[in-house]
Amino acid sequence: MTVYLVGAGPGDPGLMTLRGAEVLAKADVVIHDRLADPRVLAMAPASALLIDVGKSPGGPVRQDEINDLLVSEGASEAVVVRLKGGDPFVFGRGGEEAEALARAGVGFEVVPGITSAIAVPAYAGIPVTHRGAATSFTVVTGHSRHAVDRDTDWEALAVAGGTIVVLMGVAHRAQIAERLMLGGLDASTPVAAVRWGTRPEQTTVRVRLDQLGQTPLDPPATIVVGAVAGLDFSWFERKPLFGRRVVVTRARAQASRVTKRLEDLGARVFEVPTIAIEDPGDGGAALDLVSKAIGGYDWVAFTSANAVEAVMARIPDARSLAGVKVAAVGDATAEALASYRIVADLVPVRRDAESLVDEWPQGSGRVLFPRAAAGRDILERGLGAKGWLVEVVEAYRTVHPEPEAADRRRVRQADAVLFSSSSSVDGFVQCFGASGAPSCVVCIGPVTAATARSAGMQVTGVARSASVDSMLDALLDTLA
Ligand code: SAH
């Protein structure tokens, strides 16, 4: 088949190209480097085989071995994506890989990427060219002793006068600075070194050229030398939650929306799975039965998006809900229904089970209540008292997975945790203990907050209305 040499961009998954995401989404095999961002790798199908050629017991895999791997995988039926940081042909050895594939007669395509040479300075608020400051920019490697000592004419670069962007230059930064100054660059020339650019852990160090050698710096960093490095149109590092580490504890499928919003605010988000959604104890047999006969109910009451998904997955025909009224507690639940073009007839103003009971009409008839195995029984009792016959059916089960060591570490280092339900509090406590909570604990509503308090946590923020937006406002308030 075809081997796609894909540029993944410098880290921020939003900087992956549409074409790159498209081929990644159909990949059978993804061969990637050490710096590949997990959020980019997540664009590949779950079934894809991920091969990390940046990490192996004896150090990184040798380039000739990578070439052989590309040729052998490319000769199979599989769709092979060779994922490289930034642009594949900018110091990515993509050229050598294309050459090897061409020589072996394996078809390939190149998907250019956004190079860190331009994007990383941009995320630090530095334009690589700027009227009056730089009319050109040079991208140069500082990788090997050889390149620094002999291959690159640093003095000529100094004379040329534009912006100098050094990739892989951390180790030899002292010699590089020395050579540039020998070439005539002023000792006071501004330098910006940006580490982990475009990622939530981005840091920018600004120094003079003559200080670069003594400045502590770790890879991976992009070093910008020249007048533009003195500009500071900083925006990324100024986001309200920039660099803050926030733990989100939701079942995987649901967390992504909150995560996206947090990342837009600049936060470093750790999705810690403390809850997994599984089929009910009976494998879903009871839910199957009631879902097939759903037209016989007067109302269906949904109190979670999980319940909506579980029921909708089992309904044979959307029209079987034609005469059935639907109630939804909480924004996420109503949105889950809306995604099936079902507008809830009743969404209580205060979005908890108590207000649903308050606002529910008096009457008689059958109410289906699909819900988690364990839950509060406010709805059954409340609606029962109003004359309704409530049939509870188990729609899903929440289980608490044993946390991995990496997750334990992330939770220990976090600045904040968000709880979007009482069960997410329970899940967190089961996995990490109440004392494992970070200093900032934000809950989606008073019920969740009460659960967190009774577990022994100090709640620092509660959303005013039970919505993701409001929860994020509460987080901003507490962290500010
Ligand atoms: N093909 C890549 C460059 C590969 S060389 C591209 O076009 O971006 C790897 C070097 O790129 C690193 O040593 C570092 O200098 C730079 N780099 C890559 N990602 C970076 C990041 N997120 N932040 C800062 N520098 C980065």
Side-chain angles (χ1 to χ4, degrees):
M1 287 288 282
T2 305
V3 176
Y4 295 93
L5 301 175
V6 177
D12 180 342
L15 297 182
M16 170 70 124
T17 63
L18 292 176
R19 178 68 179 148
E22 185 187 21
V23 299
L24 200 48
K26 63 175 184 183
D28 298 309
V29 180
V30 180
I31 300 169
H32 65 90
D33 296 318
R34 191 172 50 88
L35 296 185
D37 191 290
R39 293 169 297 171
V40 171
L41 292 176
M43 294 177 190
S47 58
L49 173 65
L50 302 181
I51 304 176
D52 182 350
V53 289
K55 221 188 306 173
S56 80
V61 180
R62 287 205 324 267
Q63 188 61 46
D64 57 332
E65 292 170 345
I66 296 176
N67 295 353
D68 290 348
L69 181 65
L70 286 175
V71 168
S72 63
E73 290 290 344
S76 74
E77 283 300 291
V79 173
V80 181
V81 169
R82 169 66 174 123
L83 194 64
K84 304 173 80 69
D87 179 88
F89 284 174
V90 177
F91 303 127
R93 307 191 72 169
E96 290 158 67
E97 295 173 5
E99 195 176 23
L101 290 165
R103 202 180 308 121
V106 176
F108 65 90
E109 287 185 24
V110 181
V111 182
I114 295 185
T115 179
S116 55
I118 298 172
V120 168
Y123 270 56
I126 298 168
V128 289
T129 69
H130 192 65
R131 224 177 143 80
T135 57
S136 70
F137 62 94
T138 306
V139 182
V140 57
T141 172
H143 177 52
S144 65
R145 199 59 224 236
H146 203 67
V148 175
D149 285 350
R150 282 191 283 159
D151 292 353
T152 306
D153 190 344
W154 296 92
E155 288 80 6
L157 290 182
V159 171
T163 302
I164 301 167
V165 181
V166 189
L167 302 187
M168 299 181 280
V170 170
H172 301 299
R173 62 192 183 285
Q175 297 97 300
I176 291 169
E178 202 59 39
R179 293 275 307 269
L180 289 172
M181 287 188 289
L182 277 177
L185 276 192
D186 206 273
S188 65
T189 305
V191 175
V194 189
R195 184 166 190 243
W196 288 122
T198 81
R199 305 195 190 204
E201 50 273 54
Q202 172 175 314
T203 51
T204 306
V205 177
R206 289 164 183 278
V207 292
R208 289 158 46 114
L209 186 55
D210 60 353
Q211 300 163 333
L212 180 61
Q214 309 91 275
T215 304
L217 206 59
D218 288 304
T222 293
I223 301 174
V224 187
V225 182
V228 294
L231 299 171
D232 186 0
F233 307 136
S234 183
W235 57 276
F236 185 60
E237 292 176 36
R238 288 184 191 199
K239 289 191 170 212
L241 291 179
F242 179 77
R244 300 305 192 108
R245 286 170 290 200
V246 181
V247 169
V248 174
T249 64
R250 278 189 154 187
R252 277 216 73 78
Q254 292 178 345
S256 54
R257 211 166 57 94
V258 186
T259 297
K260 182 83 189 67
R261 297 288 311 281
L262 284 165
E263 284 175 348
D264 284 345
L265 292 167
R268 221 169 137 176
V269 187
F270 302 120
E271 288 181 357
V272 182
T274 58
I275 302 176
I277 304 302
E278 291 191 350
D279 272 343
D282 65 355
L287 186 63
D288 270 340
L289 277 178
V290 295
S291 299
K292 300 231 155 62
I294 204 152
Y297 292 91
D298 298 283
W299 279 89
V300 185
F302 291 106
T303 54
S304 73
N306 293 323
V308 172
E309 300 300 341
V311 169
M312 293 313 293
R314 288 173 166 89
I315 285 183
D317 182 333
R319 288 166 298 182
S320 55
L321 274 169
V324 184
K325 289 200 158 160
V326 173
V329 173
D331 278 1
T333 311
E335 277 168 30
L337 282 166
S339 74
Y340 294 99
R341 296 286 188 275
I342 296 170
V343 181
D345 299 279
L346 175 54
V347 181
V349 187
R350 262 194 15 259
R351 290 155 193 180
D352 49 38
E354 287 82 353
S355 19
L356 183 65
V357 171
D358 285 347
E359 293 183 35
W360 200 284
Q362 289 282 345
S364 64
R366 296 169 69 205
V367 179
L368 179 64
F369 180 26
R371 56 166 243 187
R376 301 182 306 146
D377 61 359
I378 292 168
L379 211 62
E380 295 107 286
R381 283 193 285 119
L383 299 191
K386 285 193 160 180
W388 298 91
L389 179 66
V390 180
E391 290 175 38
V392 178
V393 62
E394 189 183 338
Y396 61 95
R397 256 180 330 150
T398 54
V399 296
H400 306 296
E402 177 63 27
E404 292 173 13
D407 286 334
R408 287 190 187 283
R409 199 179 50 244
R410 290 181 181 129
V411 167
R412 251 196 326 273
Q413 295 171 342
D415 298 303
V417 60
L418 293 182
F419 290 120
S420 52
S421 66
S422 287
S423 57
S424 69
V425 175
D426 294 340
F428 186 93
V429 173
Q430 298 261 358
C431 294
F432 305 101
S435 60
S439 55
C440 175
V441 175
V442 175
C443 297
I444 198 159
V447 175
T448 307
T451 308
R453 286 194 193 97
S454 66
M457 288 181 206
Q458 184 117 32
V459 176
T460 52
V462 183
R464 266 184 215 107
S465 67
S467 68
V468 168
D469 283 332
S470 179
M471 187 163 62
L472 294 180
D473 284 344
L475 175 68
L476 283 165
D477 284 348
T478 23
L479 278 182

